[in-house]
Amino acid sequence: MPRTRWFAVRQELSIRQRRLFGLMAILLPLAAWSLVSYVPFVWHPMIEVTEPGDVTWLKSGQLVPRADFEREVARLGQAGGRVPEGERANPIYLPAPHRVAVALYTAFTTEPKLRGDLWLHESLAMSIKTIFFGFIISSAVGVPLGILCGAFASIARMTEPVVDFIRYMPAPAFGALMVAILGIHLEPKIAIIVIGTFFQQVLVVANTVRKTELSLLEAAQTLGARRKHLVLRVLVPASLPDLYNDMRILLGWAWTYLIVAEVVGVSSGITFFINQQAKYRNFENVYAAIVIIGIIGLVTDQVLAFIGERAFPWRNHRPSRLRTILGRLFAGREVTLFD
Amino acid sequence: MTSPHLHDTAGLPDYRAQAPAVAERFRRLRERPVVLEVDRLGREFSGEHGMVTALREVSFSVHRREFVCVIGPSGCGKSTLIRMVAGLDHPTSGRMLLDGREVAGPGPDRGMVFQGYTLFPWLTVTQNVMFGLEMQRVDRGTAEARAREWIDLVGLGKFAKHYPAQLSGGMKQRTAIARALAANPRILLMDEPFGALDAQTRAQMQTHLMEIWRNVDVTILFITHDLDEAILLADRILVLKANPGEVQELIEVPVPRPRSLAQVTSPEFLATRRRLDELIHPPAAAHEGEPEKLPIVRLTQVGDDVE
Ligand SMILES: Nc1ncnc2c1ncn2[C@@H]1O[C@H](COP(=O)(O)OP(=O)(O)OP(=O)(O)O)[C@@H](O)[C@H]1O
Ligand SMILES: [Mg+2]
């Protein structure tokens, strides 16, 4: 029986190890967070007042720095009044895990405080819409242009220096300009996503297309393929799986532009929700919203990865967890990759 | 490979001596129209130290349904030559005629099988074979039917729906041959097509290729560095020498057809083999016997001997 190796260089993990490490990835940060939240002597720099005593400026439920609180306790101890009482607590910006967990649910069920404010799901829908249109518009131009750049050195030479130049300009810098041109609603936000994604996209796509093996093009040429077919029947299909993966990564980048895009003009979407909740000091809702963004991103990516493995059957992939789960769901009529 | 001196002992015939049947065959072969004429083809590369001549004044012609092998030491420009014929590389001098017409650039009239397979990984065997037909605007149904025939011909009927990644090296190369032949080329160019295969598969593929060549109207220009392979397959062998790559000799193989692996020990075969050895291996080294000793120092302990 071979010894189980936990840290072998560039070795595949067993299924059991993969599960374990995957679980640890979630549990370790959660454990650290819980430790800081639930074990008072680890950090807890504040005192949550339960009984203000004779201190006039204290109120029940108030958070005060420990030093201040202890000074008041000492003062009243000497003066002989009712000593304030309180419990050690963390600052308001670090809610405990269970409060965020609860907030994950209540954030959806809490009515907005002001008329005109949006429910969480409405904010989310708005954000997703921004990302979706931004990414679609960027891809509609960026992908074909990238392919052309990858295929034709002349087009690359004409395009890429400019693209490279603009790529280094931070997309939010165009915020004011976009508002001036496109108004204050969703359009300038979509434009920021487009600007943030497009220029990277052209370069990434062009590079992926350029990685196509030249020998495939040569083979196609000896079979009679001319320019159009070399691009459409060789370059594009040859790089399709990699392009698909590029799109997944670029979509992730688009999400990172979301928050800055949404403060352009009238603040909107999930960013508006987060800012609003922060203003009301409901930090557990802030965390809940951030976690939800993460979950949406992760789920989208996993779904895309799953589709990707189905869409390119000529690529042998190691079995993915999602596929195993779905495979079990559809047990008996499992789709075979190769027939 | 057998070493050259083994043949020296036996009273081998002259490699130029041909049995009447063989001579008659060559006479008829020469009467066939010339498919490919290579006329003083040259290729120079600009290297670090000025221009390097890879090929100089290479001339030869290939007749219809002839099987010509090209051999030569590594780096003598075999690949460069066949790539130029395929139109994938430009000659710096000379010209090539296909059926009497000058050609430049790649085209489906010159099919190619590469050492590295170069199958399209996203297409199944059938789709790979259909590729050339589709480029010639043959409609899908016809293309598929024709592809089917070629796939059956190379014995891959059961694997028609497989992707290249699911095939062995030999099957990949058979697919590549089917793909090249399906496009109906005038000449099939093969650059060390079996070089990456193990000895057994290679022998199978050689037999297979002979079979295909017998049954299909195709002319073959075949590069190899395996001398036995060249003798087994070729009507004529074009021997190149290196630095610069030039034609050394164009040998008419006296081994009668139909060929089989059993002929490897026949006198004609051995005579041709000896001649090729003389040409490929520099005479000095061939006569000194033992190859030069490598300057290796002893790195094991005294007494720790393996032989
Ligand atoms: N693109 C290139 N640029 C510069 N020199 C080249 C290039 N291609 C080939 N050469 C040179 O031309 C010569 C012939 O190369 P080629 O690949 O045709 O040899 P070969 O006979 O096929 O060798 P092998 O048997 O190893 O395949 C070599 O000296 C090589 O260095
Ligand atoms: Mg070569």
Side-chain angles (χ1 to χ4, degrees), chain A residues 212-213 215-226 228-229 233-235 237-239 313-316 337-339, chain B residues 83 86 88 106-108 110-112 114 118-122 131-132 134-136 161-163 165-166 179-180 183:
Chain A
T212 307
E213 267 183 64
S215 59
L216 292 179
L217 287 172
E218 292 185 343
Q221 280 177 299
T222 63
L223 292 166
R226 295 305 183 103
K228 184 181 120 195
H229 286 138
R233 297 285 309 267
V234 182
L235 281 182
S239 38
W314 65 90
R315 291 235 166 156
N316 281 323
L337 272 188
F338 309 113
D339 51 344
Chain B
R83 285 175 56 79
L88 299 172
R110 283 148 294 146
M112 180 121 170
F114 303 81
T118 67
L119 294 175
F120 304 122
W122 61 93
F131 189 91
E134 283 177 337
M135 290 303 116
Q136 291 166 27
K161 284 186 185 155
H162 282 51
Y163 287 99
Q166 301 168 281
R179 181 180 69 172

Side-chain angles (χ1 to χ4, degrees), chain B residues 36-307:
Chain B
L36 175 74
E37 187 175 348
V38 173
D39 183 20
R40 283 166 296 157
L41 214 57
R43 179 67 165 105
E44 292 186 341
F45 290 108
S46 46
E48 276 173 49
H49 316 286
M51 300 299 273
V52 181
T53 310
L55 280 175
R56 190 162 75 194
E57 302 260 319
V58 172
S59 298
F60 63 95
S61 48
V62 183
H63 296 264
R64 194 177 81 79
R65 293 201 69 189
E66 190 181 6
F67 200 128
V68 174
C69 279
V70 182
I71 61 165
S74 185
C76 71
K78 302 184 293 294
S79 296
T80 309
L81 173 65
I82 207 163
R83 285 175 56 79
M84 287 195 298
V85 174
L88 299 172
D89 197 358
H90 317 283
T92 39
S93 62
R95 52 184 201 147
M96 300 165 306
L97 305 171
L98 193 76
D99 291 321
R101 281 190 309 277
E102 190 163 347
V103 282
D109 46 6
R110 283 148 294 146
M112 180 121 170
V113 175
F114 303 81
Q115 177 173 359
Y117 314 126
T118 67
L119 294 175
F120 304 122
W122 61 93
L123 299 180
T124 62
V125 168
T126 313
Q127 290 166 333
N128 262 286
V129 177
M130 282 166 66
F131 189 91
L133 294 165
E134 283 177 337
M135 290 303 116
Q136 291 166 27
R137 296 174 197 284
V138 177
D139 71 271
R140 268 196 94 79
T142 322
E144 199 160 347
R146 295 242 294 270
R148 241 356 262 213
E149 287 170 24
W150 285 106
I151 291 166
D152 287 338
L153 186 88
V154 297
L156 285 176
K158 277 196 210 137
F159 298 90
K161 284 186 185 155
H162 282 51
Y163 287 99
Q166 301 168 281
L167 302 177
S168 72
M171 294 199 274
K172 280 184 198 159
Q173 210 50 300
R174 277 189 273 165
T175 310
I177 293 171
R179 181 180 69 172
L181 288 176
N184 195 23
R186 289 293 290 154
I187 185 164
L188 182 62
L189 310 168
M190 307 180 88
D191 186 0
E192 299 200 26
F194 309 146
L197 304 178
D198 61 89
Q200 211 172 349
T201 315
R202 179 192 293 219
Q204 270 170 16
M205 290 297 293
Q206 289 163 354
T207 322
H208 222 91
L209 182 62
M210 298 302 294
E211 197 66 31
I212 291 170
W213 174 69
R214 252 198 296 278
N215 293 304
V216 176
D217 175 9
V218 70
T219 311
I220 297 180
L221 186 63
F222 187 105
I223 289 184
T224 177
H225 62 248
D226 181 337
L227 307 185
D228 290 330
E229 183 172 68
I231 304 169
L232 185 71
L233 296 176
D235 289 317
R236 291 188 295 160
I237 300 175
L238 184 75
V239 187
L240 297 182
K241 70 166 195 60
N243 301 319
E246 284 176 319
V247 177
Q248 213 170 358
E249 193 174 345
L250 190 53
I251 296 177
E252 294 186 342
V253 179
V255 183
R257 289 192 184 270
R259 304 255 174 85
S260 72
L261 278 171
Q263 287 167 309
V264 179
T265 47
S266 72
E268 300 95 339
F269 197 104
L270 293 175
T272 316
R273 173 68 208 242
R274 186 174 58 177
R275 177 61 184 161
L276 292 182
D277 277 326
E278 279 167 17
L279 291 172
I280 301 291
H281 304 292
H287 285 294
E288 252 149 55
E290 286 289 307
E292 217 180 297
K293 265 202 149 175
L294 294 174
I296 295 177
V297 292
R298 188 184 177 99
L299 296 175
T300 56
Q301 283 176 359
V302 179
D304 185 12
D305 294 322
V306 284
E307 60 175 32

Side-chain angles (χ1 to χ4, degrees), chain A residues 106 197 274 311:
Chain A
T106 53
T197 314
I274 289 175

Side-chain angles (χ1 to χ4, degrees), chain A residues 129-164:
Chain A
K129 195 167 142 191
T130 311
I131 289 274
F132 179 79
F133 282 111
F135 194 72
I136 290 290
I137 293 171
S138 169
S139 302
V141 188
V143 173
L145 185 60
I147 291 173
L148 286 177
C149 286
F152 303 105
S154 47
I155 297 181
R157 190 76 199 115
M158 266 193 299
T159 316
E160 285 184 11
V162 182
V163 168
D164 230 353

